[in-house]
Amino acid sequence: MEKPKIVVSSSPHIHEGSRTSSIMWNVSLALTPSALWGVYVFGFRALAILLISIASSLLVEFLLQRISHESTLSDGSAFLTGLLIGMNMPADAAFVVPIIASAFAIFVVKWTFGGLGANWINPALAGRVFVFFSFTGLMNTYRMPRTLAGVDTVGSASILTEIKLAVGSGTVQGLQSTEILEQSSYGHTQFAQSLSNWFTALFNRGPSPYTIDAFFGNVAGCIGEVSAFLLLLGGVYLLIKKIITWHIPVSFIATFSLLAWTFGGFRNGLGLFQGDFVLQIFSGGMILGAVFMATDMVTSPVTKKGMVIFGIGIGFFTFLLRYFGSLPESISLAIILMNIFVPTIDRYITPKRFGEVVKEAQS
Amino acid sequence: MQKIPTFRKGGIHPDDKKVLSNRQAIERLPVPAELIIPLSQHIGAPALPLKQKGDRVEAGEKIGQGASFISADIHSPVNGTVTALNKVTLANSVVSDAFVITPDTENPMGIWEERPYEAFSAAELQKIVKDLGIVGAGGATFPTHIKLTVPRGKTVDALVVNGVECEPYLTADHRLMLEHSEMVVRGVMLVARMTNPKKIIIGVENNKKDAIVALRKVIAEHDFPIVVTPLKVKYPQGDEKQLLKATIKREIPSGKLPLDVGAVVLNVATAFAIYEAVAYNKPLIERIVTVSGEAIATKRNLRVLIGTKVADLLAYAGLAEEAETYIAGGPMMGFAFYDDQTPIIKGTSGILAFTEEAHKQAPVSPCISCGRCIAACPMGLQPTKLYRLIDHRQYSEAMATNLMDCKECGCCAFVCPAHLPLVHAMKLGKRLGRK
């Protein structure tokens, strides 16, 4: 009689059932609401950009695995990289831009360093930064969202660019960011205005309509970064699924907020504790970066303590770059800067061993 | 309500699957046609054979003599005849000499009569534990008499009895505490007489509430100075380091033993065996084994003679489906084996048969540095770093990164989304690193 096949392997013989691929696909799923919002407010061109970057990422991965004889397409990593690149593009980027970004991300940043798990910076971020500095003008021109199109607007600059330009011109000394935006007649939705009024009526103070628009995604920006609300929703999903922990997003945003609130008023002639950090948090790629980019497992520290240090570092660099750099947006650079420190953090921040320190017996 | 304690660092919460067998009362497996009694059933040197092929043996007769300081005696479970002295491969891949014994067809079992034991001194009790071959029943099979001989100058603050049974599927200790509470508790009191502790604690995970009630009832009846501490369910709480942290809040320093923090840790099944040895002069010749796993038709808790072949247990319990993997012990730290002629030994707490579905194997993918293994490691190690070092054959570097603190509990591999063979690597690294 033929003996049945019996598997003999090392313990443990059970597993919780997680897979690398399920992590990747879940992150993609968590990004989807924000991406769909981008498609809604920026139109079909946004969808085209997203599809092109996903397709080109998958294609590059497919071609590379023909060389390395591996089957990595289904692990979801290339799809996620493509999706993130697409979400980091303005809707009006030339179609070649996401293709270049994807090729750079998958080929140079991921594959040449050894593939999944071996890259030292987030491929999607690297791809974005690469094209950002190659096509600076193109990458900084945003389309106004559909929800703002009817409003009288000055142009298609993002909130951060608008403020940066105004501060640079030196004419807005002593003004808060809301007043700066009002002065340059930057548009906001009627919905945001009424919600702001409602808050003000109820609590005597409330968020400016610009902050509310930034939170819900009625602002100019990259396809996938505008709706802080939907991105946070995705973040909550990842927290529940235990794919990310709170350590990096919270330490990042808390550090940035503290610095921006304390010193953020200086550049337009205000005193200490005058910075409008709330608008800053919900503008630009802050939430996308904090929840989805900085938490990339491969390029963040492995210990909880290391993650907090990593997050603090990103918050610090983001503050410096946003307030004192020449560019309005800087999340990607701040994250990449801290990516460089990850091996060092992991070397020196190690978990406390059981039995390392003998506690005095208490009886 | 009081907060239920557990250990803090790391640990995991696997589906405990105890419901499969925790309502099955202990049954005695009929005497099988043949027993295989290995001479190496414990940590340390194998016992030396005292019998030859063709010799008659009596139930309880010593047939193997402990060979050195760390070793244990072996006894015949039945009246019968030695038909061979062979080499066998045990479930943990140890190759050992073993007696093959054919039990008598009539009256194979020994008769064990109760004897008065109140007069025994501590030294006499220790001698009984040694002479009757008692070893740790939790799986590590460390000879118990060594543990119970407290060196001069050391005192025992706490005797912590391990009723945790944190491995999923296993319910043998649970049923033992429930059905034989009296004997377990009396065994614990005997251990207390040998070690003279200031306090006595039985730690039981909170998923065995009926066992906690049963133990407390017996303790109250006799007014014994024993505290039963319910513990929050978390693997690997049954490890002595985690157990001491959870119960008496002490941390055994790296490379040290429980006695170094003034504690003696002992399994409930060992306490039970000690009671039987002292009160009935009965050696460790049988134990309770959980037969479970998705492929088993009727999951059971069986009282079986040491040396019974796995095939006899499987025949009794029945296979519902084709099994892909057989495991001796629990699913987290037990050993997979392939031969159903493998014997039950003193440390076998369970025999599990898994279907392919329950086994959940996935292909290995690269490490993505998610850090989950670090969060799960109860010893505060960095499994991902150790794995990389061992994979690159840097064994001495791995040893310097505290590889020897690893006790192969499997938490890291359980949570690894890349399905890296982390425990396998640790075992390999230790073996090659020691050279």
Side-chain angles (χ1 to χ4, degrees):
Chain A
M1 197 182 106
E2 199 190 334
K3 282 217 162 194
K5 189 186 90 168
I6 292 177
V7 175
V8 178
S9 55
S10 170
S11 61
H13 306 287
I14 49 175
H15 194 278
E16 63 170 14
S18 61
R19 303 264 179 99
T20 303
S21 53
S22 73
I23 293 175
M24 298 293 172
W25 290 115
N26 267 314
V27 176
S28 295
L29 184 67
L31 283 165
T32 307
S34 173
L36 290 179
W37 174 261
V39 172
Y40 168 68
V41 293
F42 297 120
F44 277 108
R45 204 182 149 87
L47 183 65
I49 294 276
L50 286 177
L51 292 179
I52 286 171
S53 47
I54 292 169
S56 49
S57 279
L58 290 173
L59 181 70
V60 175
E61 180 94 354
F62 173 74
L63 293 175
L64 289 172
Q65 71 179 7
R66 303 267 312 239
I67 301 175
S68 56
H69 300 291
E70 288 168 322
S71 173
T72 51
L73 219 48
S74 61
D75 68 17
S77 147
F79 181 93
L80 177 58
T81 301
L83 179 62
L84 277 172
I85 287 175
M87 290 175 73
N88 270 301
M89 294 282 148
D92 289 312
F95 286 141
V96 71
V97 176
I99 296 176
I100 295 172
S102 296
F104 184 79
I106 301 283
F107 174 60
V108 179
V109 179
K110 192 167 99 172
W111 194 74
T112 56
F113 280 90
L116 178 66
N119 49 287
W120 61 274
I121 51 176
N122 184 326
L125 272 181
R128 175 195 148 92
V129 169
F130 182 70
V131 293
F132 189 84
F133 287 111
S134 312
F135 306 92
T136 318
L138 214 52
M139 289 294 291
N140 248 327
T141 311
Y142 302 110
R143 181 182 287 200
M144 271 296 165
R146 172 196 304 270
T147 44
L148 259 187
V151 184
D152 180 30
T153 54
V154 283
S156 54
S158 73
I159 285 180
L160 293 176
T161 315
E162 194 67 35
I163 294 176
K164 190 113 212 168
L165 287 174
V167 169
S169 69
T171 56
V172 290
Q173 287 298 310
L175 294 184
Q176 273 290 1
S177 47
T178 310
E179 294 160 331
I180 296 174
L181 289 168
E182 272 168 4
Q183 197 186 49
S184 55
S185 55
Y186 197 86
H188 58 71
T189 59
Q190 200 50 50
F191 162 74
Q193 184 64 59
S194 22
L195 198 62
S196 173
N197 292 345
W198 184 79
F199 267 110
T200 317
L202 213 60
F203 305 107
N204 262 335
R205 55 182 302 180
S208 74
Y210 301 109
T211 309
I212 292 172
D213 269 345
F215 181 73
F216 286 107
N218 299 317
V219 286
C222 292
I223 297 167
E225 74 179 18
V226 287
S227 179
F229 171 65
L230 292 174
L231 289 166
L232 287 171
L233 217 58
V236 170
Y237 173 76
L238 293 183
L239 277 173
I240 291 171
K241 282 273 185 183
K242 297 200 168 144
I243 287 171
I244 61 169
T245 59
W246 58 268
H247 300 81
I248 294 173
V250 170
S251 59
F252 169 12
I253 293 175
T255 307
F256 173 81
S257 303
L258 190 69
L259 290 171
W261 175 56
T262 314
F263 305 111
F266 285 164
R267 64 174 177 177
N268 37 334
L270 298 167
L272 272 177
F273 308 118
Q274 296 282 321
D276 185 1
F277 64 91
V278 184
L279 179 65
Q280 287 283 338
I281 290 172
F282 296 129
S283 320
M286 187 95 152
I287 301 295
L288 181 63
V291 177
F292 292 94
M293 304 281 221
T295 54
D296 172 30
M297 291 166 174
V298 178
T299 53
S300 62
V302 288
T303 58
K304 305 276 180 277
K305 217 191 289 175
M307 287 178 188
V308 171
I309 294 173
F310 179 72
I312 291 173
I314 300 174
F316 174 73
F317 282 124
T318 304
F319 169 72
L320 282 188
L321 289 163
R322 268 200 182 177
Y323 281 83
F324 303 107
S326 57
L327 292 165
E329 178 56 313
S330 53
I331 303 291
S332 20
L333 286 178
I335 295 175
I336 287 178
L337 269 172
M338 283 311 291
N339 284 161
I340 299 171
F341 287 102
V342 168
T344 317
I345 293 174
D346 278 343
R347 189 180 183 94
Y348 292 105
I349 307 296
T350 53
K352 187 173 160 290
R353 276 164 61 212
F354 187 100
E356 190 174 21
V357 181
V358 192
K359 286 221 182 89
E360 201 50 51
Q362 30 174 283
S363 52
Chain B
M1 219 189 106
Q2 207 187 342
K3 204 176 154 234
I4 303 167
T6 185
F7 63 99
R8 268 189 71 193
K9 190 192 288 292
I12 54 170
H13 298 94
D15 183 357
D16 71 6
K17 301 275 188 181
K18 304 224 187 234
V19 71
L20 294 179
S21 58
N22 64 5
R23 286 167 192 276
Q24 301 286 330
I26 299 168
E27 295 166 66
R28 192 180 283 279
L29 188 75
V31 177
E34 190 176 78
L35 296 173
I36 298 172
I37 320 285
L39 286 162
S40 183
Q41 301 191 29
H42 45 263
I43 285 186
L48 301 171
L50 299 175
K51 295 284 176 183
Q52 288 177 330
K53 186 179 169 182
D55 285 355
R56 266 207 62 77
V57 290
E58 280 178 28
E61 187 183 354
K62 192 198 279 185
I63 54 176
Q65 170 73 48
S68 66
F69 179 63
I70 299 184
S71 189
D73 294 349
I74 308 284
H75 303 77
S76 173
V78 291
N79 301 317
T81 316
V82 176
T83 45
L85 187 53
N86 287 341
K87 291 240 181 259
V88 294
T89 305
L90 304 180
N92 59 2
S93 302
V94 168
V95 177
S96 166
D97 287 320
F99 291 110
V100 180
I101 293 177
T102 306
D104 292 346
T105 43
E106 285 185 19
N107 300 325
M109 298 290 275
I111 297 158
W112 310 102
E113 282 174 4
E114 197 165 359
R115 61 175 175 183
Y117 58 85
E118 292 303 327
F120 288 131
S121 69
E124 282 167 331
L125 290 173
Q126 281 160 0
K127 187 165 185 319
I128 292 171
V129 169
K130 180 177 190 295
D131 288 345
L132 297 187
I134 312 292
V135 301
T141 62
F142 189 77
T144 303
H145 64 273
I146 302 173
K147 216 186 236 185
L148 297 185
T149 312
V150 180
R152 205 179 294 273
K154 297 234 179 194
T155 51
V156 177
D157 287 330
L159 167 62
V160 180
V161 182
N162 189 344
V164 173
E165 202 170 46
C166 60
E167 279 267 13
Y169 291 90
L170 300 187
T171 52
D173 287 353
H174 181 182
R175 293 308 305 185
L176 179 72
M177 288 187 283
L178 193 63
E179 295 178 36
H180 300 286
S181 331
E182 174 94 30
M183 293 165 94
V184 169
V185 168
R186 285 183 182 278
V188 171
M189 290 310 293
L190 288 171
V191 176
R193 257 163 69 189
M194 288 181 256
T195 52
N196 201 19
K198 293 193 184 113
K199 59 182 172 189
I200 310 169
I201 298 165
I202 305 181
V204 184
E205 276 191 353
N206 218 11
N207 55 1
K208 295 179 266 291
K209 291 205 171 72
D210 49 354
I212 295 171
V213 170
L215 290 172
R216 280 182 173 161
K217 184 161 163 274
V218 173
I219 291 165
E221 273 168 22
H222 299 285
D223 204 18
F224 285 143
I226 302 175
V227 178
V228 180
T229 308
L231 301 167
K232 208 184 281 178
V233 177
K234 189 168 163 191
Y235 179 89
Q237 197 146 238
D239 185 282
E240 58 190 17
K241 295 195 174 183
Q242 272 61 43
L243 180 62
L244 287 182
K245 187 79 179 168
T247 50
I248 62 169
K249 313 262 177 291
R250 289 187 203 170
E251 202 163 309
I252 304 175
S254 170
K256 300 278 184 167
L257 296 169
L259 208 52
D260 293 306
V261 293
V264 168
V265 182
L266 192 92
N267 196 277
V268 283
T270 316
F272 176 75
I274 289 171
Y275 177 75
E276 284 202 319
V278 173
Y280 294 91
N281 197 25
K282 181 181 170 187
L284 183 49
I285 54 170
E286 58 180 2
R287 66 159 298 138
I288 298 160
V289 179
T290 300
V291 182
S292 186
E294 277 71 6
I296 298 287
T298 22
K299 289 81 174 170
R300 289 170 192 277
N301 298 293
L302 298 177
R303 191 158 188 182
V304 300
L305 297 170
I306 301 296
T308 306
K309 295 171 194 165
V310 169
D312 295 320
L313 278 75
L314 294 177
Y316 190 77
L319 278 177
E321 294 174 62
E322 199 169 280
E324 192 200 48
T325 299
Y326 293 103
I327 298 155
M332 290 303 296
M333 289 188 73
F335 300 97
F337 61 95
Y338 55 89
D339 186 359
D340 64 2
Q341 300 297 302
T342 305
I344 300 295
I345 59 172
K346 290 175 180 177
T348 312
S349 46
I351 294 294
L352 306 178
F354 280 172
T355 56
E356 198 176 342
E357 201 181 329
H359 198 194
K360 253 187 219 161
Q361 284 201 318
V364 171
S365 56
C367 172
I368 54 166
S369 314
C370 62
R372 289 181 184 184
C373 53
I374 294 173
C377 181
M379 298 308 290
L381 302 176
Q382 302 171 74
T384 163
K385 186 173 179 186
L386 288 168
Y387 180 81
R388 202 165 51 234
L389 290 170
I390 292 162
D391 200 30
H392 295 177
R393 302 187 184 184
Q394 291 172 307
Y395 303 119
S396 51
E397 185 71 18
M399 296 299 259
T401 318
N402 310 307
L403 176 57
M404 290 315 285
D405 277 358
C406 169
K407 55 196 183 197
E408 301 158 18
C409 66
C411 291
C412 52
F414 180 79
V415 299
C416 178
H419 290 251
L420 296 173
L422 292 164
V423 175
H424 186 90
M426 303 302 161
K427 290 181 178 180
L428 180 80
K430 283 183 194 176
R431 186 169 291 191
L432 296 172
R434 264 196 286 250
K435 282 180 185 166

